[in-house]
Amino acid sequence: MRRKLAAGNWKMNGSSAALAELSALAAPADCTVVICPPAPLLFRAAEIGAENSLHIGAQDCHHENGGAFTGDVSAPMIADAGASYVIVGHSERREACNERNRDVRAKAKATWAAGLTAILCIGESLEDREADNTLDIIAGQLSGSVPNGATADNLVVAYEPIWAIGTGKVPTLDQIKEVHDFIRAELTERFGATVANDISLLYGGSVKPGNAAEIFQAENVDGALVGGASLKADDFNPIIAALAAS
Ligand code: 13P
């Protein structure tokens, strides 16, 4: 069964005081709710999450399990902190940290080896969209970033058009449907229908309480990866409720 999944990416926001928001989140029985706080908050967030049916994720990991990599955090460390998900390949890291598809693939493999689920992000730039290259970019990111051996337990794919992140601009429902249908078809070709049909596909980019219900109408949208509107329970709860009602 494909999971309905609402994931919150806090990015580099939040402090220990912000963890109070976790206790105010309502996770319905048929929805998986994942919060991805900054790394220093993972351990405490996992303790609070366990009391509140929430899953916790990290925002990145190194591809090695340990060693001389100053400042980095490994997948086994994230698992040890009590988290169960890791975002890999977010466009902010692909752009600012020059992460390539092969780096994202190595990170996804590291999450799997640690028993974690990768929330693997893909998405086109405005330039790609305007040049009508979106589906080519998506195909290349999927084939380059997703390792062999994907299952519905170890992989969630998040489609986040770069131009929609933090901008208030959202693609039309037809544009979202086109890309999500394409992602499902690409995964089906590579992993077979049984596996591909069960992998949750998230939309991300300016998801708000006011537009979530419409976005969740698309058949191959199984949830959302939410940035700004995941920071406050008052904003994230209505998005979760819209997903539960979809
Ligand atoms: P916003 O919801 O703030 O646009 O961020 C989306 C995002 O990048 C989630 O990973």
Side-chain angles (χ1 to χ4, degrees), residues 7-11 87 90-92 121 158 160-161 164-169 203-208 224-230:
N9 174 9
W10 282 11
K11 309 192 180 183
I87 297 170
H90 194 283
S91 59
E92 286 155 12
C121 302
E160 298 203 312
I165 295 175
T167 59
K169 289 186 194 143
Y203 168 78
S206 296
V207 178
K208 306 285 176 210
L225 180 55
V226 183
S230 71

Side-chain angles (χ1 to χ4, degrees), residues 67 70 175:
T70 301
Q175 288 173 322

Side-chain angles (χ1 to χ4, degrees), residues 2-6 31-32 157 180 184 196-203 215-216 218-224 243 246:
R2 205 182 292 172
R3 276 169 298 165
K4 288 185 181 180
L5 198 153
C31 290
T32 302
V157 176
H180 278 248
R184 185 81 66 202
N197 281 337
D198 278 357
I199 293 176
S200 297
L201 307 186
L202 312 183
Y203 168 78
I215 293 167
F216 296 145
E219 188 198 329
N220 280 312
V221 173
D222 306 307
L243 181 62
S246 68

Side-chain angles (χ1 to χ4, degrees), residues 124-134 137 162-163:
E124 82 286 2
S125 65
L126 187 58
E127 206 183 358
D128 295 327
R129 167 65 63 179
E130 287 176 348
D132 217 5
N133 284 336
T134 299
I137 295 290
I162 296 168
W163 50 275

